[in-house]
């Protein structure tokens, strides 16, 4: 079985993306397969878990019944990924058609009923942390909600080094890779949907420079690897950063690959297995609705799809 056939032997959410991005299938075939995401497999299963109040597990970022933190300040057995924000994010990753009736119904309920834990802000108005607001923009754009106000807020929160940090409100003046990638994903999505503004385009390009100056995973000051975990690839990525996520952003942004990505691209190539697949390497701990792959150390259809998209971009 070829790698493409192996990926096609899966859920509709993977199949339609493989058909579009790797198999050059006709548009009508892709659309028909994508339509199945809302009615079959993981997409339908996730939609069925939405509560009558429009939320997943009764909360925006955290399930209503979950104790947010242990006494020592650590998440209890990992952050839960089952509340509304990460459930919507998973629907986006699965590629549900945002115009289908099921998605429109689900998002309308979120818009009407879901509020952020921070201060009760409406979901698509965002809250105060740039990492959460970057995700809000990604979701708002994908599901056709107005998030212009969230974009404007983030433009005023860019740090001097070019990135963003969720801890800026607590005094941090140094950017975070994890926050910066989420904001960049949001700004790029908004720009694609609306054309952006000179200010938002300039901010996005400054943010890109923050990552490129560090070759996606090195300290600018010393050249050392910032975090060895970033060299391992996860899916879903949740709020976490890794090299594949960084490369995926630049692939979506398009254009000629910057030479400062070369080392990251070499890392990606080095991880391809003899059978042509990539592994799931770094699952982020926490409660999930259901799993999408067979576990760390096993071939991952999702990471293989994402890696091949990047390599098709750098070697067309």
């Amino acid at each position: 079985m070829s790698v493409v056939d192996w990926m096609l032997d899966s859920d509709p959410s993977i199949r339609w993306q493989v058909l579009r991005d790797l198999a050059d299938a006709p548009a009508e075939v892709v659309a028909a397969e994508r339509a199945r995401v809302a009615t079959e497999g993981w997409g339908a299963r996730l939609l069925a878990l939405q509560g009558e109040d429009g939320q997943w597990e009764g909360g925006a970022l955290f399930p209503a019944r979950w104790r947010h933190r242990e006494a020592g300040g650590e998440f209890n057995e990992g952050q839960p990924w089952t509340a509304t924000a990460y459930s919507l994010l998973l629907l986006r990753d699965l590629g549900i058609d945002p115009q289908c009736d099921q998605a429109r119904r689900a998002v309308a309920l979120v818009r009407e009923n879901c509020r952020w834990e921070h201060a009760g802000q409406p979901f698509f108005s965002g809250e105060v942390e740039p990492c959460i607001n970057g995700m809000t923009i990604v979701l708002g754009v994908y599901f056709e909600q107005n998030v212009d106000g969230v974009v404007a807020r983030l433009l005023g929160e860019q740090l001097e080094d070019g990135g963003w940090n969720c801890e800026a409100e607590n005094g941090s003046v140094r950017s975070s890779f994890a926050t910066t990638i989420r904001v960049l994903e949001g700004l790029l999505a908004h720009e694609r949907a609306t054309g952006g503004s000179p200010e938002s385009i300039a901010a996005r390009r400054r943010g890109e420079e923050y990552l490129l100056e560090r070759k996606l995973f090195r300290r600018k000051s010393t050249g050392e690897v910032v975090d060895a975990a970033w060299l391992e690839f996860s899916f879903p990525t949740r709020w976490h950063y890794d090299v594949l996520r960084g490369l995926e952003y630049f692939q979506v942004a398009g254009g000629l690959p910057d030479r400062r990505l070369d080392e990251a691209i070499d890392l990606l190539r080095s991880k391809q297995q003899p059978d042509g697949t990539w592994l799931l390497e770094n699952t982020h701990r926490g409660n999930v609705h259901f799993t999408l792959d067979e576990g760390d150390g096993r071939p991952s259809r999702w990471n293989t799809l994402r890696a091949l998209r990047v390599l098709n971009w750098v070697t067309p």
Side-chain angles (χ1 to χ4, degrees), residues 164-183:
W164 287 263
N165 193 329
C166 265
E167 293 300 319
E169 65 172 333
N170 296 323
S172 177
V173 296
R174 302 173 71 178
S175 294
S176 151
F177 280 68
T179 302
T180 299
I181 193 65
R182 179 57 87 198
V183 173

Side-chain angles (χ1 to χ4, degrees), residues 7-237:
M7 285 189 286
L8 289 172
D9 183 26
S10 186
D11 189 83
S13 58
I14 295 180
R15 285 201 299 266
W16 86 263
Q17 297 184 61
V18 172
L19 289 168
R20 180 192 63 182
D21 298 334
L22 302 179
D24 296 321
E28 61 272 18
V29 173
V30 174
E33 190 63 36
R34 187 181 194 185
R36 299 173 63 186
V37 174
T39 60
E40 301 178 27
W42 294 323
R45 187 175 175 185
L46 187 53
L47 285 168
L49 293 170
Q50 186 179 25
E52 292 183 3
D53 64 354
Q55 301 183 100
W56 277 264
E57 300 222 340
L61 197 64
F62 303 109
R65 64 179 181 275
W66 184 75
R67 280 193 309 141
H68 289 198
R69 301 213 179 239
E70 292 273 325
E74 294 296 324
F75 286 115
N76 180 20
E77 297 182 0
Q79 179 174 345
W81 310 113
T82 50
T84 302
Y86 287 107
S87 297
L88 279 182
L89 200 62
L90 181 54
L91 281 176
R92 173 194 176 264
D93 288 340
L94 299 178
I96 193 171
D97 182 349
Q99 296 185 345
C100 74
D101 290 343
Q102 296 90 334
R104 285 184 178 277
R105 246 189 333 266
V107 171
L109 286 169
V110 171
R111 184 181 64 243
E112 293 164 11
N113 298 312
C114 189
R115 300 292 184 267
W116 292 106
E117 289 86 354
H118 172 262
Q121 303 97 324
F123 188 86
F124 290 107
S125 297
E127 48 119 281
V128 298
E129 296 190 16
C131 46
I132 292 174
N133 286 341
M135 175 172 57
T136 303
I137 296 171
V138 167
L139 293 173
V141 170
Y142 189 82
F143 291 109
E144 302 174 345
Q145 304 298 305
N146 187 332
V147 288
D148 292 349
V150 191
V151 172
R153 177 180 180 124
L154 284 173
L155 296 184
E157 295 176 339
Q158 190 168 25
L159 298 176
E160 188 172 342
D161 60 11
W164 287 263
N165 193 329
C166 265
E167 293 300 319
E169 65 172 333
N170 296 323
S172 177
V173 296
R174 302 173 71 178
S175 294
S176 151
F177 280 68
T179 302
T180 299
I181 193 65
R182 179 57 87 198
V183 173
L184 286 177
E185 290 164 348
L187 292 181
L188 178 60
H190 188 262
E191 187 179 318
R192 291 281 174 83
T194 68
S197 66
E199 294 77 15
S200 69
I201 293 168
R204 182 174 65 82
R205 289 176 176 165
R206 280 187 63 210
E208 290 178 351
E209 280 297 309
Y210 172 83
L211 296 180
L212 290 169
E213 287 172 349
R214 293 157 178 80
K215 298 184 179 180
L216 300 195
F217 62 96
R218 294 193 178 278
R219 297 188 186 280
K220 185 178 178 181
S221 56
T222 66
E224 296 176 351
V225 174
V226 178
D227 188 336
W230 297 355
L231 308 183
E232 298 183 332
F233 302 155
S234 64
F235 189 87
T237 55

